[in-house]
Amino acid sequence: MNVVLLGLPGAGKGTQAKIIMEHLRIPYVSTGEMLRQAADNRTELGLVAKKYMIKGELVPDELTIGITKNRLLNADCANGCLLDGFPRNIAQAQALKDFMQAHCKKIDVVIYVDVKEALLMERLTGRRTCEQCGAAYHVVYQPPRIVSRCDQCDGNLKRREDDNEATVQERLRINKDLIMQLTAFYQSEGSLRVIDGSQGIEQLMRS
Ligand code: AP5
Ligand code: ZN
């Protein structure tokens, strides 16, 4: 099964992805994570991508489409995957549709995590991620047992570079219109499902 998770920055895509992935037993493909990893590894692509990411801007399509298609060609995606952060615009949605068709596949369902914009700033500026294992926390909504330490591996928790207030504002501004265009696109494809992401994490897990 091929699933796409759509939502504004901070809507909880990554949080929901972990639950869906375990449930459906499909690999998680996060374009944002791949780009951050490339930036940490200081690859040519990563260094270019970082310039856009730290400003909250979208990385150019030719880079994101290329990196995502490469990942989808991996053997572990043969029976489906969970896409988070791709597509972000109609050009990417069309490229994904063409790629799927060329491989006799399709996007089975698109889950739009709908969250009131007012909640997003707090969610993102309060997010903390483990430097060692990548586990995600929130200082209020999903706090670790010990401040700044990961429950799972005792690694140090840090704030993502693009989670400061100014960059979050830019991310929201850029993505607002695009997300509406994408939900309209997938609505017309008949694959859109909307979930109310404003509920707490526990409530969402049960729904
Ligand atoms: P990416 O990494 O994809 O970030 P994003 O889309 O901005 O989304 P986030 O990961 O920040 O948020 P999320 O929805 O996953 O929220 P989370 O579950 O962590 O992209 C980063 C950058 O890479 C982009 O800005 C762009 O530059 C580039 N990029 C990526 N893909 C691209 C593409 N296709 N094209 C071009 N450029 C691309 O939750 C957030 C916080 O809230 C957490 O702390 C969590 O604990 C908490 N939380 C989650 N759910 C709830 C809840 N229900 N109640 C209370 N708290 C909650
Ligand atoms: Zn950890």
Side-chain angles (χ1 to χ4, degrees), residues 132-144:
Q132 248 167 258
C133 75
Y137 296 87
H138 190 280
V139 290
V140 177
Y141 303 120
Q142 218 179 354

Side-chain angles (χ1 to χ4, degrees), residues 38-52:
D40 287 347
N41 294 337
R42 304 183 62 80
T43 66
E44 201 180 322
L45 179 146
L47 293 176
V48 175
K50 188 166 184 175
K51 287 187 196 154
Y52 295 90

Side-chain angles (χ1 to χ4, degrees), residues 117-130:
E117 207 189 319
L119 295 175
L120 299 175
M121 178 62 78
E122 192 197 0
R123 281 194 186 179
L124 288 173
T125 51
R127 171 166 57 188
R128 299 292 181 271
T129 312
C130 175

Side-chain angles (χ1 to χ4, degrees), residues 129-137 149-157:
T129 312
C130 175
E131 269 177 335
Q132 248 167 258
C133 75
Y137 296 87
R149 306 305 308 178
C150 176
D151 291 351
Q152 291 169 34
C153 73
D154 200 41
N156 186 40
L157 300 186

Side-chain angles (χ1 to χ4, degrees), residues 7-16 28 30-33 35-36 49 52-54 56-61 64 68 84-89 92 122-124 126-128 136-139 141-142 160 162-163 171 175 197-202 204:
L8 283 171
K13 302 182 294 297
T15 307
Q16 294 308 311
Y28 177 50
S30 162
T31 307
E33 267 185 21
L35 294 170
R36 275 187 292 280
Y52 295 90
M53 293 167 83
I54 54 170
E57 293 171 5
L58 290 190
V59 175
D61 286 345
T64 53
T68 309
D84 171 1
F86 191 94
R88 294 251 176 187
N89 58 29
Q92 293 182 11
E122 192 197 0
R123 281 194 186 179
L124 288 173
R127 171 166 57 188
R128 299 292 181 271
Y137 296 87
H138 190 280
V139 290
Y141 303 120
Q142 218 179 354
R160 234 167 73 175
D162 57 349
D163 278 347
R171 285 160 65 195
N175 283 285
S198 301
Q199 308 168 73
I201 296 172
E202 295 294 322
L204 261 169

